[in-house]
Amino acid sequence: MNALMVKNVYFKYDKEIVLENINFSLKDKEFMAIIGPNGGGKTTLLKLMLGFFKPTNGEILIYSKLPNNTHELIGYVPQHTNFSLDIPITVFDIVMQGRLKKGKFFYTNVDKEKANEVLKTLKIEKFKNRKIKDLSGGQRQKVLIARALVSEPKIVIMDEPTSAIDPTGQKEILDLIENLDITRIVVSHDIKILLRNVDKIAYIHK
């Protein structure tokens, strides 16, 4: 079964063509690395897959659905920490955010159990009650991955997950991603990702 199908995709801002004739597919539970130079269109392609943008031409399907109908199927790990480190929020609070859905404003015991399970799987349960500002860059990245996974997605998309992390932290994050048992897409400009057991590589440059 195809987890992702990108067919004849074009995208332009005003009159500038950013992506031209992009074609690839990804099967369920495969691991894909999307690489390319800065400004080559990687982030734009990611936003198309997430449904933030619509292709100018062509089609993207995620598990046979258009991206804007697949939010509950996708776990997204952004490139930058998308919360203020000045807010005294704990690791557990951030991970629990992944259990919120449209029209849902309260957590259940099942939500808490799932969060604890993911924290344990990623070996960060000891940080559960720590403030996010007190963690290292690699530890914060694991927390963001945990928040994406706690929603029980079928596919996880990560934007530069190893940027601004020391080499030891990078290895830990890549080991973690490599061993996840779901479909994975990692967008990166770091070619070290190619040394991992990726199933497919997409080089994006316009």
Side-chain angles (χ1 to χ4, degrees):
M1 178 181 184
N2 279 327
L4 173 67
M5 176 72 73
V6 178
K7 186 175 181 181
N8 303 327
V9 165
Y10 287 73
F11 184 80
K12 62 183 180 180
Y13 291 111
D14 297 324
K15 294 182 179 179
E16 179 188 0
I17 296 177
V18 179
L19 294 171
E20 184 175 3
N21 196 29
I22 306 296
N23 292 273
F24 63 87
S25 63
L26 190 64
K27 293 180 180 178
D28 188 48
K29 296 190 178 182
E30 283 190 323
F31 178 13
M32 169 177 265
I34 297 178
I35 63 169
N38 289 332
K42 299 189 306 296
T43 297
T44 299
L45 178 60
L46 182 151
K47 290 179 178 179
L48 288 165
M49 291 189 292
L50 291 170
F52 297 160
F53 298 157
K54 291 184 178 181
T56 305
N57 287 298
E59 184 177 52
I60 296 177
L61 295 175
I62 295 176
Y63 288 97
S64 303
K65 296 181 180 181
L66 293 174
N68 59 350
N69 294 322
T70 59
H71 295 154
E72 292 187 3
L73 299 177
I74 299 173
Y76 171 51
V77 182
Q79 179 176 357
H80 301 293
T81 301
N82 56 351
F83 44 78
S84 172
L85 296 179
D86 295 327
I87 299 173
I89 189 169
T90 68
V91 166
F92 192 71
D93 290 334
I94 290 171
V95 174
M96 286 290 285
Q97 290 174 358
R99 297 296 294 183
L100 290 177
K101 298 177 181 178
K102 187 175 182 180
K104 178 181 176 181
F105 305 102
F106 301 99
Y107 299 125
T108 66
N109 287 333
V110 172
D111 294 330
K112 294 175 183 178
E113 289 170 6
K114 186 62 184 178
N116 282 318
E117 178 185 322
V118 171
L119 287 167
K120 187 174 182 179
T121 298
L122 301 192
K123 299 179 181 179
I124 53 174
E125 69 270 27
K126 62 184 176 182
F127 302 131
K128 175 180 174 178
N129 296 314
R130 293 266 295 273
K131 299 293 190 295
I132 192 69
K133 66 182 180 64
D134 296 329
L135 302 185
S136 69
Q139 290 164 348
R140 288 176 195 154
Q141 196 65 24
K142 286 185 179 180
V143 173
L144 291 178
I145 293 172
R147 184 178 64 177
L149 296 179
V150 80
S151 65
E152 301 179 88
K154 296 189 69 172
I155 182 170
V156 63
I157 299 175
M158 308 184 194
D159 190 8
E160 302 283 2
T162 59
S163 64
I165 298 176
D166 63 72
T168 299
Q170 290 178 1
K171 182 181 184 303
E172 290 179 354
I173 294 298
L174 291 175
D175 286 347
L176 187 163
I177 295 168
E178 192 173 301
N179 290 302
L180 291 175
D181 191 33
I182 58 175
T183 309
R184 291 140 294 159
I185 298 173
V186 174
V187 177
S188 181
H189 70 276
D190 185 353
I191 62 171
K192 287 199 295 292
I193 188 73
L194 305 185
L195 301 176
R196 315 303 294 198
N197 290 320
V198 296
D199 297 298
K200 291 185 177 179
I201 299 164
Y203 178 80
I204 305 295
H205 186 39
K206 306 294 184 182

